[in-house]
Amino acid sequence: MGKLKQEVKVEKINGEQFVVRVACDKGGDKLVSILEVFDELGLNVVQARVSCRHFFSMEAIIGVGQDQKTSDLKDITDAVLKAIDEKQSGEQEML
């Protein structure tokens, strides 16, 4: 199976809630890394669906918490991409 291009999309849906969609190659602790990023940014997961059948995919609705550090779409997108990149880089170095 070919390599999947990493994709992260963040959209504001209502008030202080966002939907985050992630698709990338499976492997590693990507879910944990993404959840840690949400926590670091002060974002709360309201609802999430995760699949890793052929590739890793996640769709999450997140809300801005009281101790939020950002609610900027670009900041959230960049942080999630960085978490995914670090996991994939680390996996390749271990091979």
Side-chain angles (χ1 to χ4, degrees):
M1 186 170 281
K3 200 154 174 70
L4 177 70
K5 181 182 173 201
Q6 296 177 25
E7 186 174 295
V8 175
K9 291 183 181 178
V10 180
E11 299 172 24
K12 191 165 192 160
I13 51 175
N14 60 9
E16 292 296 312
Q17 288 191 335
F18 302 86
V19 63
V20 178
R21 293 182 181 91
V22 178
C24 60
D25 289 325
K26 65 180 181 176
D29 297 328
K30 289 183 179 72
L31 178 60
V32 173
S33 297
I34 293 168
L35 293 176
E36 287 173 346
V37 162
F38 290 162
D39 188 51
E40 289 168 10
L41 295 175
L43 303 168
N44 301 316
V45 177
V46 176
Q47 179 181 350
R49 278 188 298 218
V50 178
S51 173
C52 51
R53 186 176 201 116
H54 299 293
F55 56 91
F56 176 86
S57 67
M58 180 186 84
E59 180 176 289
I61 296 174
I62 56 173
V64 177
Q66 291 180 339
D67 58 344
Q68 77 186 52
K69 294 189 176 65
T70 187
S71 60
D72 181 68
L73 299 177
K74 184 171 179 358
D75 289 346
I76 297 168
T77 303
D78 290 346
V80 172
L81 278 168
K82 183 178 177 187
I84 294 169
D85 283 341
E86 286 176 358
K87 280 298 171 193
Q88 287 187 331
S89 296
E91 289 168 13
Q92 290 172 357
E93 288 173 11
M94 289 173 31
L95 295 178

